[in-house]
Amino acid sequence: MQLQSFGAALTVTGSMHLLTSGGRQVLIDCGLFQGNDDLEARNREPFGFDVPGLDAVILTHAHLDHVGRLPLLAKLGYRGPVYCTAPTAGLAETVLLDSARLQVDGYRHDLRRARRQGVPDEQVPPPLYEEEDVHRALALLRPHLTFGETTRVAGLKVTPERAGHILGSAYLLIESSDGRLIMSGDLGNRESGLQLDFTPPPHADAVVIETTYANRTHRPWPATLAEFRDALRDSVRQGGKILIPSFAIERTQTILHTIKSLMDAGEVPRIPVFLDSPMAARATHEYFEFGDELIPEVRDALQAGEDPFRPSTLHVVPTSAESQRINRYDGPAIILAGNGMMTGGRIQHHLKHHLWKPSTSLISVSYQSPSSLGGRIVTGADHVRIMGEEIAVKAHVHTIGGFSAHADQDDLLAFLSTTGTPHVWLVHGEPDVMAAFLPVLDARGLKGDLMPDRQPVDLTGPGFPQGLPPGFDAAPTRGAQAEAGE
């Protein structure tokens, strides 16, 4: 087995890994780079491999930084199967259609501005893809992956298991005659307010693991809940708007459920809650179908026909015009809008109108890349540029990290604790964070390395023994096996 990472190597975004085994090539994830201009410029670079020649694609989950370039792959000629879980297929449709719309809208905006400045149309970069490319990619989805069941993919045995990150998220056990590889995708926080824990993985010869929070631990859930409650109470006393930038999948549902629980218990006032994210509203419907992945409190509410994501004061905001009218609402209100890092979406409109007011509160509940707008705000910038205008930061800024859907250092070590002594390859993290994790692995007798960017790694070398792993042929397979795509 050989692995080559074309995204999420030495960075925390753009996940894309090419696995070569027995002369066949499988792409694991096909994500969009998000962040500063240098990162986003990589979305326009050639893929670095023969796109039509791929034998298969496997998706670990539906976040944009794991699926966002799939339409581009289809646009450039890929026509093979794209394997994923059923929830991932449903969420990917919502995510990718929204991505295409934003790209087209952004292109039209840039084109109008360029024409006013006398810039030729051909100098304005076109969208990476449009809605027709999304539908071409969606037609390739094969939602055949089921937790605990093995599927044959391009000569490999692939067994997905629950990753606990978002709905449908899976890590992959990949087996061949060379050995056993685990691709973690993104792993969940074991103290999630929504998702069940990840399933402990089996022994493996190599593990490729995400490291978003590999240098720290999250606050315990009770402390996070108390911190969020107190931030809401303090913010209501300020009398202004309470802005909560949030990712549409998992984070929004967690925040809505938490607000509902706090209001129902009388721990925070019942003030209006505006869900200003059509994408999040659409994504929430997926949770009603796949409640067995969620913590018992939420699962049981869904089974009883209740809506655990709807505070009694919730208003869903479908249009941009209605979004703008929120700013004329008098009195305190919670505005939950995308996106989580504040790099785009409707949250920017609300930040422009309210960030300069001392009565406003901004509650950050998502990961903030240091180079993003959100990163600059939470680290103390006194002015930021939003929608072409310099805005003073006078709002009260609260940062609550315990809502993270990503595993922290303790979670990552717990995940690795059942895998034996594999060679551990670090991806999906900032280089300094991964470097800090290496001595932690070494102290536990594990060999770790940072996955190089775009350079192939021979997984059948040291740390990944040649030959048939013990019990490979006789290993029981849970559930039916599929020869799909063979």
Side-chain angles (χ1 to χ4, degrees):
M1 287 187 186
Q2 188 181 78
L3 194 69
Q4 195 169 3
S5 292
F6 293 92
L10 307 180
T11 187
V12 77
T13 185
S15 292
M16 186 184 304
H17 312 283
L18 182 67
L19 180 65
T20 303
S21 178
R24 306 181 77 173
Q25 293 191 320
V26 176
L27 192 66
I28 299 170
D29 286 338
C30 190
L32 200 71
F33 286 96
Q34 299 173 284
N36 59 31
D37 291 343
D38 289 340
L39 279 172
E40 294 197 0
R42 291 190 60 176
N43 292 318
R44 297 187 178 275
E45 295 177 359
F47 275 109
F49 50 83
D50 178 23
V51 170
L54 291 172
D55 291 286
V57 177
I58 307 174
L59 304 178
T60 62
H61 66 286
H63 270 150
L64 192 63
D65 63 331
H66 290 256
V67 303
R69 277 193 286 171
L70 193 61
L72 184 57
L73 201 73
K75 183 178 180 179
L76 295 177
Y78 179 68
R79 297 294 181 267
V82 179
Y83 296 99
C84 60
T85 64
T88 293
L91 291 172
E93 179 176 2
T94 297
V95 168
L96 293 175
L97 287 172
D98 185 75
S99 175
R101 179 187 59 79
L102 289 173
Q103 289 187 54
V104 171
D105 288 351
Y107 170 68
R108 290 170 177 166
H109 174 269
D110 292 344
L111 195 61
R112 289 192 298 270
R113 183 171 59 182
R115 287 172 175 172
R116 289 194 297 269
Q117 297 172 353
V119 176
D121 289 0
E122 56 270 20
Q123 292 186 21
V124 179
L128 285 173
Y129 50 82
E130 300 182 33
E131 186 173 325
E132 63 185 88
D133 303 307
V134 172
H135 288 297
R136 188 179 295 118
L138 294 175
L140 304 177
L141 294 183
R142 302 291 181 267
H144 302 329
L145 298 187
T146 301
F147 297 144
E149 297 185 4
T150 298
T151 298
R152 291 276 183 177
V153 177
L156 301 167
K157 291 173 66 176
V158 178
T159 308
E161 296 286 2
R162 188 177 64 242
H165 176 57
I166 66 169
L167 201 69
S169 61
Y171 67 85
L172 308 173
L173 170 64
I174 301 174
E175 301 173 281
S176 78
S177 58
D178 289 324
R180 289 177 136 197
L181 167 67
I182 289 175
M183 299 289 298
S184 78
D186 285 352
L187 298 172
N189 179 354
R190 289 179 298 163
E191 290 199 73
S192 167
L194 190 61
Q195 299 286 145
L196 290 175
D197 296 350
F198 53 72
T199 301
H203 278 222
D205 301 295
V207 176
V208 177
I209 193 167
E210 71 116 318
T211 52
T212 309
Y213 290 114
N215 65 339
R216 70 194 82 172
T217 56
H218 302 313
R219 296 192 72 181
W221 175 249
T224 295
L225 190 61
E227 186 179 14
F228 184 62
R229 178 202 63 207
D230 292 347
L232 287 176
R233 286 176 175 172
D234 292 345
S235 301
V236 170
R237 284 194 287 268
Q238 297 287 118
K241 300 298 184 292
I242 303 166
L243 309 182
I244 306 181
S246 184
F247 296 114
I249 299 173
E250 195 280 333
R251 194 61 41 83
T252 291
Q253 291 76 30
T254 299
I255 296 300
L256 286 174
H257 172 61
T258 304
I259 291 172
K260 173 178 167 56
S261 298
L262 290 171
M263 286 185 173
D264 289 352
E267 296 192 49
V268 298
R270 290 187 184 274
I271 63 173
V273 179
F274 294 97
L275 176 56
D276 194 9
S277 172
M279 179 181 167
R282 290 192 298 270
T284 301
H285 290 295
E286 294 290 326
Y287 285 76
F288 287 83
E289 185 175 354
F290 300 102
D292 56 342
E293 289 188 38
L294 308 178
I295 60 174
E297 175 187 349
V298 178
R299 180 196 62 212
D300 293 347
L302 289 170
Q303 290 176 348
E306 301 170 9
D307 187 344
F309 309 114
R310 179 171 284 275
S312 61
T313 57
L314 181 68
H315 305 270
V316 178
V317 183
T319 68
S320 297
E322 290 177 87
S323 173
Q324 293 170 23
R325 283 199 291 270
I326 297 174
N327 294 307
R328 297 199 293 268
Y329 178 85
D330 191 25
I334 297 169
I335 302 173
L336 192 61
N339 67 34
M341 286 196 289
M342 310 179 227
T343 55
R346 294 183 181 180
I347 192 62
Q348 288 203 335
H349 173 76
H350 299 298
L351 290 169
K352 180 178 178 179
H353 282 81
H354 298 291
L355 194 61
W356 53 272
K357 301 175 183 177
S359 61
T360 299
S361 292
L362 173 66
I363 303 179
S364 172
V365 295
S366 302
Y367 172 79
Q368 303 298 336
S369 169
S371 61
S372 69
L373 173 62
R376 295 194 297 275
I377 292 173
V378 302
T379 53
D382 53 16
H383 285 79
V384 290
R385 192 167 186 82
I386 302 173
M387 301 173 70
E389 186 175 339
E390 286 292 321
I391 305 295
V393 181
K394 299 294 185 182
H396 294 259
V397 179
H398 304 264
T399 301
I400 302 178
F403 281 111
S404 176
H406 280 277
D408 65 7
Q409 185 180 102
D410 288 346
D411 296 322
L412 296 176
L413 293 175
F415 184 82
L416 291 168
S417 69
T418 59
T419 61
T421 56
H423 194 122
V424 182
W425 295 93
L426 310 185
V427 297
H428 204 286
E430 301 292 349
D432 59 332
V433 172
M434 292 189 281
F437 194 44
L438 290 177
V440 179
L441 293 175
D442 185 65
R444 286 157 177 77
L446 294 173
K447 168 64 175 173
D449 282 297
L450 277 62
M451 180 66 70
D453 183 23
R454 290 172 274 204
Q455 297 299 313
V457 168
D458 185 7
L459 295 179
T460 59
F464 200 133
Q466 293 274 2
L468 208 63
F472 175 79
D473 281 343
T477 298
R478 285 176 284 162
Q481 290 196 25
E483 284 288 334
E486 289 288 285

